[in-house]
Amino acid sequence: MSSEDRLELRRAAVRPRAFGAWYVTEHHVRIWRRYLGVNVATAIGTPFMFLLAFGIGLGLLVNANAGPGGVDGVSYLVFIAPALIATSAVTIASDEFSYPVMQGLKWNPIYIGMHATPITARQVVDGLVLFVALRVTATTFVYFLIMAAFGGVPAASGVLTVPVATFTALAFGTPLFAYAATLREDRGQFAVVQRVLVLPLTLFSGTLFPLEQLPAFLQPIGWLSPLWHGAELGRVVGYGAERPLWLTAVHLAFLVVLALAGWRLAVRVMRGRLDA
Amino acid sequence: MTVISATDLVKRYGEVAAVDGVSFEVAPGESFGLLGPNGAGKSTTMRMVGAVSTRTAGELTVLGLDPDEFGPEIRARLGVVPQQDNLDNELRVRENLLTYGRYFGLPRRLIAERADELLEFAQLADRGDAKVDELSGGMKRRLTIARALINEPRILLLDEPTTGLDPQARHILWDRLFRLKEQGTTLLLTTHYMDEAEQLCDRLVVVDHGRIMAEGSPAALIRQYSTREVLEVRFGSERNAAAAAALADVGDRLEVLPDRVLVYADDGEAALVEVTARGLQPLTSLVRRSSLEDVFLRLTGRSLIE
């Protein structure tokens, strides 16, 4: 091999080394586009469903009983809107970081195909995380618009419920991603995750009622739940809920640390799976 | 000048050595095969060469680069056809080529041009919009080969390229691979089919239990480890052993299999005359040329396909 040839070979992966994660994201977007109709219909339909059930149905009952002070000083819809936005974000993350991960490694091992190209295990992970972040942001933005249209997000800073929801989704999602990447057989683990993790978290994370209303011994569930931190942070930006500054900082730090830790772990697990 | 060079290559999983000190070199434009039974360590060797499996010990360079350090650079110049298809079933046939091409950082226009050429090459030009699931096994494998060529690789790695395909699909595939070989693409392939190795490999190594048993061109290996012809005689499963005892000095060598006796001789017909002259009446007899299967049998005492 000539020295020119050697140099050419060393430069062969300049673009993939720089943009590889983005190429992986492109691939996921292309698959997402195949189901565009369903995806858009769900993104618009879900907020209306929740608006009807909680904002109007349950809301009337709660507002009538809560008295003039409302819940946390606001109407029930305003109280739950930031939490609903965060919950929808977590739902998407729990979908994207469970079965599709196992599919990519086992049932239709496209991750193994990607890794046969210049793409690294880290880029396979980064590309999916980036895709989920984009998908969550787009979907929760639609959610936000619909909630705002019905007066659910009164504060000027209300649009920040969207990035808050994205962080919440990743804080919940990246550790799930790492776990999903360790699985070699499907023994119903994801159904268990849905039932014993996602569902209880949705109900007991101070989403539909203030966490303080739970018995004291149940409140720690909320403290450990990304969804509680996300919902509370969302309320601060969504209607200017009065919370101590330190607590708001804790919420943010909790979400960021969990998201980054899960992300790192996912990279490590995926390296082990793809380089064997 | 070599494009792949492995010296005392080892891959261990815990206590088990899947690859146990393998050395070989592949020259540019050469078609090189790893022949051996399932579990011999062929695929593991392939994955190390493909820079997706870190070696435990030994030296390895691919295109002059160390896979430990330059994985993405090496993979940028390889085409990989894995044993298990990993086409994206959620995308259409042509889309599979488009997404894959992006992973090499190629511009979309170039990828689109090459995708059309490659669909033509893979005889799938009219199936571009089909779902992957609608393709037959042979078509999927051809699409996988087309996908592996999207970056115009210097080396094409093929892991058991025709396993699981029917004879007709295999011949179509061999024809495509032969064209690539003629165009000067370096091929590294694993197989446990001797006919595939004979058709496609300029040179090969026989691998068993993670070690290389022999190396050479198919013809040279047959010359070295077998006779020109083989006489296959069947006496019925109970009588094969007894008949073999009576034939001990016919031909160069005998191999007694459960269902038949192989007599290795340069002149098979003469050996058959000798068998009948000893008063033995085989139920069936067949004279054929020696193959790599015989080489493998000689080297390991076992047949390639159990």
Side-chain angles (χ1 to χ4, degrees):
Chain A
M1 257 169 272
S2 68
S3 62
E4 238 170 84
D5 201 28
R6 241 175 251 274
L7 211 64
E8 193 269 331
L9 281 167
R10 284 192 179 221
R11 286 208 213 97
V14 171
R15 289 179 64 84
R17 273 203 193 260
F19 308 114
W22 175 247
Y23 300 148
V24 175
T25 305
E26 270 182 21
H27 190 155
H28 289 294
V29 170
R30 193 185 273 273
I31 296 170
W32 180 83
R33 276 207 324 234
R34 289 215 69 83
Y35 308 98
L36 189 64
V38 182
N39 284 323
V40 170
T42 323
I44 296 172
T46 313
F48 275 110
M49 200 170 68
F50 278 91
L51 197 64
L52 265 173
F54 290 107
I56 299 167
L58 188 62
L60 286 176
L61 203 63
V62 174
N63 288 334
N65 282 287
V71 186
D72 195 28
V74 291
S75 79
Y76 188 58
L77 177 63
V78 172
F79 176 74
I80 60 167
L84 290 182
I85 293 173
T87 304
S88 81
V90 166
T91 309
I92 295 172
S94 79
D95 285 347
E96 290 286 354
F97 287 128
S98 53
Y99 285 103
V101 174
M102 207 160 171
Q103 171 154 330
L105 283 168
K106 188 180 163 77
W107 297 314
N108 181 195
I110 60 170
Y111 297 165
I112 292 168
M114 292 173 190
H115 191 230
T117 72
I119 301 302
T120 63
R122 164 179 287 281
Q123 289 171 332
V124 171
V125 172
D126 292 357
L128 182 59
V129 172
L130 187 60
F131 165 70
V132 175
L134 286 175
R135 191 187 156 186
V136 165
T137 305
T139 314
T140 51
F141 184 66
V142 172
Y143 211 121
F144 157 77
L145 287 180
I146 292 168
M147 286 290 157
F150 287 84
V153 195
S157 58
V159 73
L160 293 179
T161 51
V162 174
V164 164
T166 303
F167 271 113
T168 312
L170 294 185
F172 176 83
T174 58
L176 177 62
F177 186 3
Y179 170 69
T182 63
L183 301 179
R184 284 168 193 273
E185 296 294 332
D186 177 22
R187 297 199 186 85
Q189 295 96 329
F190 294 130
V192 173
V193 167
Q194 269 313 317
R195 280 171 214 152
V196 308
L197 212 62
V198 179
L199 188 61
L201 284 191
T202 340
L203 295 174
F204 299 111
S205 294
T207 43
L208 301 173
F209 49 85
L211 191 63
E212 297 73 39
Q213 263 174 271
L214 280 179
F217 73 95
L218 282 180
Q219 291 185 16
I221 298 183
W223 303 341
L224 292 175
S225 160
L227 196 46
W228 178 63
H229 295 277
E232 284 294 289
L233 205 53
R235 286 181 178 122
V236 172
V237 295
Y239 60 88
E242 283 176 33
R243 302 284 189 270
L245 190 62
W246 68 266
L247 190 56
T248 301
V250 166
H251 292 322
L252 192 61
F254 185 90
L255 295 180
V256 171
V257 167
L258 200 57
L260 290 179
W263 196 334
R264 270 187 80 147
L265 199 61
V267 169
R268 230 164 91 181
V269 175
M270 198 66 105
R271 268 199 194 124
R273 286 299 293 273
L274 293 181
D275 184 331
Chain B
M1 197 172 93
T2 60
V3 287
I4 302 170
S5 164
T7 314
D8 301 324
L9 196 57
V10 175
K11 179 74 183 188
R12 232 176 257 120
Y13 295 104
E15 293 290 291
V16 185
V19 175
D20 193 10
V22 160
S23 305
F24 62 90
E25 290 195 336
V26 181
E30 193 177 21
S31 184
F32 188 85
L34 302 164
L35 177 73
N38 291 328
K42 305 184 304 277
S43 295
T44 310
T45 306
M46 249 352 205
R47 290 217 311 281
M48 286 191 279
V49 172
V52 293
S53 177
T54 311
R55 63 186 184 270
T56 312
E59 291 302 315
L60 177 65
T61 62
V62 182
L63 298 167
L65 301 173
D66 182 341
D68 282 356
E69 204 183 335
F70 295 102
E73 282 72 18
I74 291 171
R75 297 199 296 271
R77 292 291 177 252
L78 296 182
V80 179
V81 179
Q83 197 172 345
Q84 190 195 1
D85 278 328
N86 56 35
L87 297 162
D88 191 329
N89 295 332
E90 288 185 289
L91 298 179
R92 310 242 164 203
V93 167
R94 192 164 176 275
E95 283 183 305
N96 261 282
L97 301 182
L98 300 182
T99 48
Y100 207 75
R102 289 292 284 162
Y103 289 132
F104 296 90
L106 301 171
R108 285 170 212 275
R109 267 226 342 248
L110 181 65
I111 299 171
E113 271 170 37
R114 282 189 192 168
D116 293 331
E117 286 165 21
L118 288 168
L119 286 177
E120 202 72 52
F121 171 78
Q123 293 160 312
L124 291 168
D126 54 337
R127 306 305 288 264
D129 287 327
K131 289 181 178 168
V132 170
D133 278 337
E134 292 164 1
L135 300 184
S136 69
M139 288 175 172
K140 279 187 191 174
R141 201 54 63 88
R142 264 157 31 218
L143 178 58
T144 306
I145 292 175
R147 192 183 70 168
L149 296 171
I150 197 89
N151 59 326
E152 299 190 328
R154 301 224 186 160
I155 310 173
L156 189 60
L157 306 182
L158 300 137
D159 197 358
E160 302 278 350
T162 64
T163 297
L165 301 185
D166 61 62
Q168 198 194 349
R170 295 180 74 195
H171 280 285
I172 297 176
L173 208 73
W174 284 343
D175 167 61
R176 297 293 106 177
L177 294 177
F178 205 80
R179 275 167 206 239
L180 290 176
K181 186 165 137 47
E182 282 178 331
Q183 289 164 21
T185 310
T186 307
L187 302 182
L188 175 65
L189 70 118
T190 74
T191 182
H192 63 264
Y193 295 122
M194 54 183 179
D195 47 350
E196 186 159 282
E198 280 168 26
Q199 290 237 9
L200 293 176
C201 299
D202 302 324
R203 208 155 55 83
L204 57 91
V205 286
V206 178
V207 192
D208 194 31
H209 298 305
R211 291 175 165 279
I212 290 176
M213 311 295 291
E215 177 177 347
S217 69
L221 284 169
I222 291 166
R223 257 200 319 277
Q224 189 177 349
Y225 293 100
S226 192
T227 49
R228 207 171 72 86
E229 291 185 340
V230 189
L231 166 65
E232 294 197 3
V233 277
R234 294 168 197 261
F235 297 95
S237 38
E238 267 110 68
R239 296 177 49 223
N240 279 337
L247 297 175
D249 58 338
V250 180
D252 289 11
R253 200 166 58 83
L254 280 188
E255 202 69 66
V256 187
L257 301 180
D259 61 333
R260 60 197 195 274
V261 179
L262 307 181
V263 182
Y264 288 95
D266 283 325
D267 185 343
E269 290 296 342
L272 181 58
V273 170
E274 180 66 29
V275 170
T276 38
R278 296 192 180 190
L280 291 164
Q281 283 302 326
L283 301 173
T284 65
S285 63
L286 165 78
V287 175
R288 60 168 174 83
R289 296 183 77 89
S290 271
S291 73
L292 286 171
E293 177 80 43
D294 301 297
V295 172
F296 190 79
L297 194 62
R298 170 75 185 276
L299 287 169
T300 68
R302 292 176 295 117
S303 58
L304 268 169
I305 303 169
E306 285 84 30

